[in-house]
Amino acid sequence: MSGARIFRAPGRVNLIGEHTDYNLGFVLPIALGLETRIYSTPSADGRLRVHSTAHNETRDWGLEQIASCTPQSHWSDYFIGVAREIAALGFEIAPLDLKIESTVPEGAGLSSSAALEVAAALALLQGRTLDGLEIARLCQRAESGFVGMPCGIMDQYVSLFGREGAATKVDCRTLESEAVPLPAGIAIVAVNSMVKHSLGQSAYRIRVAECAEAARAMGVESLREATAEQVNMTLMPEVVRCRARHIVTENLRVEAFVEAARTGDCGRMGRLFSESHASMRDDYEISCAEIDFLVGAAESLPGCYGARMTGGGFGGCTVNLVAAEGAAFFIGAIRHIYQDAWGKNPQIVECVPAAGAGEIL
Ligand code: GLA
């Protein structure tokens, strides 16, 4: 596709603050070097056409069909869901030939879907200006309203607003963010369990409902407003109390982690990772055997400060905080240990905070 315009949007790894976004709390993701690129040229026949190199499939639509599309449980739902939202905002969709290429693994908890949505939004906008927050919101609407996954705003937000060289702390109530530089001498390593979270969507939906139930029981608008004391004292089903406890303690852990990062206290950062994982495993119940194994194995290795599952849950990746000088040893050892125990070769990514989405000029 010579002469194509190229739009890119990164995947992300969330350092801490899991399932807090739809409870209007805090998250601390970084945008990754892994990204989705969309190559765009005008289409000759007036249709909107998109080809996925990963799936080796092409889909196309007449421009007049876009508004009435229905979800097909297909990768192209993310794309056309975004097109519908952009059209609904009053932007004309141009007839384009688009080619999607991505280095973000699917189903790994590294947000391949948000990377696709954001790259699609930029490609469909073709440089027309729309506030970044509006783009994040329209992509989230496409995923929750069209694809049917009632996600929060974290993934789309950081895919747009990620910063090179720093994590991004997002307040999901105000949608303001700040850069959180990480101490020198640490490496962030994502280890993909290669377990795809097929359970994820239905369990995610249930967690969203349980959190809403807990908030109702405590008479607060969202769990962001709830205190640990309210969670302990209010009458609610035990399982709902556990879910709420995860959210309330996780928000506190994000703030403690940011403080530890600012003072360079890697030991504390690592302990907060471990506590976060225990809370996701026991209170939020979104882990699985392979992930718990990877976390335990990582924490027994020299130079690892702490490990936790990252992303929606039920598989995907762990994120590990490792002393930089020991990272190569860590990567070799965790690969070997996991392969030996589960017969799967984990994909391992050293995560370096990258900048958010844009056009490649
Ligand atoms: C998925 C969702 C996000 C967030 C995470 C869990 O990635 O898309 O909005 O809720 O799970 O932290």
Side-chain angles (χ1 to χ4, degrees), residues 39-156:
Y39 297 77
S40 156
T41 50
S43 88
D45 60 2
R47 291 177 72 79
L48 177 64
R49 184 172 297 100
V50 61
H51 176 79
S52 157
T53 46
H55 297 270
N56 195 22
E57 271 183 341
T58 304
R59 285 283 190 273
D60 70 336
W61 301 266
L63 299 183
E64 72 295 342
Q65 289 177 292
I66 294 173
S68 55
C69 281
T70 52
Q72 309 289 313
S73 301
H74 188 257
W75 59 265
S76 60
D77 288 353
Y78 294 98
F79 173 80
I80 204 68
V82 167
R84 281 166 43 107
E85 291 296 333
I86 288 180
L89 290 175
F91 290 99
E92 217 170 283
I93 303 286
L96 297 167
D97 266 332
L98 303 173
K99 183 178 74 162
I100 305 171
E101 272 180 13
S102 188
T103 51
V104 191
E106 285 184 21
L110 299 179
S111 224
S112 60
S113 50
L116 172 54
E117 290 154 10
V118 172
L122 296 185
L124 290 164
L125 284 166
Q126 292 279 303
R128 286 171 293 187
T129 42
L130 183 58
D131 178 61
L133 254 187
E134 285 309 313
I135 299 178
R137 284 203 183 99
L138 80 86
C139 291
Q140 182 197 19
R141 284 200 300 278
E143 186 157 345
S144 57
F146 190 72
V147 178
M149 159 78 177
C151 62
I153 191 85
M154 166 169 69
D155 306 344
Q156 295 81 4

Side-chain angles (χ1 to χ4, degrees), residues 273-345:
F273 261 34
S274 308
E275 287 169 22
S276 169
H277 186 72
S279 176
M280 288 191 288
R281 183 191 59 212
D282 303 335
D283 275 346
Y284 222 60
E285 294 184 281
I286 51 170
S287 190
C288 64
E290 291 88 341
I291 290 282
D292 290 341
F293 176 89
L294 274 175
V295 167
E299 289 182 337
S300 71
L301 288 171
C304 177
Y305 293 109
R308 58 182 289 280
M309 190 195 77
T310 182
F314 304 97
C317 284
T318 60
V319 57
N320 303 267
L321 207 59
V322 180
E325 76 268 11
F329 170 80
F330 176 86
I331 289 171
I334 196 86
R335 182 187 303 288
H336 181 77
I337 296 171
Y338 190 61
Q339 214 160 4
D340 241 28
W342 295 88
K344 292 186 173 113
N345 184 14

